[in-house]
Amino acid sequence: STQSTWGLKSIPCCVRTSAPGPLMTSVHWRVVVGAFVASLVMIFVLWPRAPVSEDGPARAPFCPRAAPSRLATELLADKSGVEIGPSGQNPFGLRRTINVDYAADNAPWTTNGCEVPVVHIAAPGDDLPFRDGVLEYVVSSHVIEHFFDPIKTLREWRRVLKPRGLIFIIAPHMDRTFDQTRPATTVAELVARAEGSVRPTDYARPVTDAAIAAAGFTALELVQGRPLAPGWEFMSGYDHHSHWSAWRTADFVELVKVALPDARVHTVQDVDDKVGNGFTVVIEV
């Protein structure tokens, strides 16, 4: 044998010690195929996903990422603003955006295997740490239903916007999501929340299998002053992950007119152009 350029011994490759035979026997083929299959298993099953490093987010394979909204890109791409509740699997792709979430480590649970979005500011989405009138837009997707008081939330988003700023909201349409078994949340109920006469602990949710099967696993019911149904329990307080409201498009437009009577409904999409299971309402303030 001889020394290779890498310092390893090389084996002569062309020394024939017996009579010529087939280049590959059936045993050889089995070894090659087995090695190939083992390689595929290592790559697709056993290979670890890239971790999230301190230097930035790591993108995992096979991310079911939704396409950006064409409407959002058209209206907001040249402006500066904030996104409330960013999601790795449902990004807007706007470059001049500050990501705000209620906790710096909240984003990973919304990624579904996609890259973890950076949370630039950890703050409640309905209590933003910005001065009045400094931003050009506030954008959110499948977020506003998680706020107990969406009237307060809409007014807070308007507060931080410059004149003619835009609030761009995509919210789940109750008939196209798991909220379809619930009754629509009325404006009167939301006004009562805003006024403080209805609190989170006045609501109950199903907890037994039978109650969940009958009402849906996202159901929340206002039971103020009424006995609690079997299989239900009162909410202990504000839960960030609950859908506190369920809407159809017209319901939400009505809410906007009550919450922001001086604003203009700029654009409405009954089917949003992003995921398609919600609606889009754009408000100019």
Side-chain angles (χ1 to χ4, degrees):
S1 62
T2 60
Q3 290 291 326
S4 71
T5 57
W6 295 96
L8 301 174
K9 288 188 176 182
S10 60
I11 301 173
C13 65
C14 302
V15 178
R16 180 178 293 168
T17 58
S18 60
L23 294 177
M24 295 286 284
T25 66
S26 60
V27 173
H28 293 146
W29 277 113
R30 292 191 185 99
V31 172
V32 171
V33 172
F36 179 71
V37 171
S39 299
L40 292 179
V41 171
M42 285 291 295
I43 293 171
F44 292 104
V45 178
L46 302 179
W47 197 270
R49 291 185 175 183
V52 177
S53 70
E54 295 180 356
D55 297 328
R59 183 173 177 178
F62 314 117
C63 167
R65 181 179 289 107
S69 162
R70 292 184 179 181
L71 180 62
T73 301
E74 175 187 340
L75 295 176
L76 308 177
D78 62 344
K79 302 180 186 300
S80 300
V82 296
E83 179 176 357
I84 309 299
S87 170
Q89 65 178 341
N90 190 21
F92 280 94
L94 301 168
R95 293 186 177 183
R96 300 168 65 181
T97 302
I98 298 171
N99 291 336
V100 177
D101 213 323
Y102 70 87
D105 59 350
N106 178 55
W109 81 274
T110 68
T111 59
N112 195 23
C114 299
E115 65 185 33
V116 178
V118 175
V119 175
H120 300 112
I121 296 177
D126 57 357
D127 188 14
L128 299 174
F130 300 103
R131 298 190 304 274
D132 296 355
V134 294
L135 303 173
E136 295 178 287
Y137 67 80
V138 175
V139 64
S140 70
S141 178
H142 290 250
V143 168
I144 196 165
E145 69 277 5
H146 294 282
F147 290 98
F148 177 74
D149 185 355
I151 293 178
K152 173 189 175 184
T153 303
L154 288 171
R155 291 173 177 172
E156 174 67 0
W157 294 357
R158 177 190 60 182
R159 180 189 66 79
V160 300
L161 291 178
K162 298 178 179 180
R164 303 195 67 181
L166 297 176
I167 300 174
F168 190 105
I169 295 171
I170 297 177
H173 193 295
M174 59 180 296
D175 293 336
R176 296 193 290 269
T177 63
F178 40 67
D179 287 327
Q180 59 188 316
T181 58
R182 300 172 55 175
T185 308
T186 65
V187 171
E189 183 177 331
L190 296 176
V191 169
R193 294 184 195 173
E195 293 174 346
S197 57
V198 171
R199 298 165 297 178
T201 52
D202 293 321
Y203 286 80
R205 62 183 173 187
V207 291
T208 65
D209 291 342
I212 292 172
F217 73 95
T218 66
L220 281 176
E221 186 174 332
L222 179 62
V223 291
Q224 190 179 44
R226 295 187 290 114
L228 198 62
W232 289 64
E233 69 176 12
F234 282 105
M235 298 291 290
S236 59
Y238 178 48
D239 177 3
H240 290 282
H241 303 308
S242 294
H243 281 200
W244 286 98
S245 304
W247 296 292
R248 297 180 178 89
T249 310
D251 303 324
F252 194 83
V253 171
E254 181 185 0
L255 168 64
V256 169
K257 292 178 179 179
V258 171
L260 305 175
D262 298 330
R264 179 175 76 93
V265 176
H266 181 286
T267 306
V268 175
Q269 291 178 330
D270 187 56
V271 179
D272 73 89
D273 67 352
K274 204 167 193 318
V275 178
N277 62 349
F279 55 82
T280 302
V281 176
V282 184
I283 309 155
E284 184 179 71
V285 303

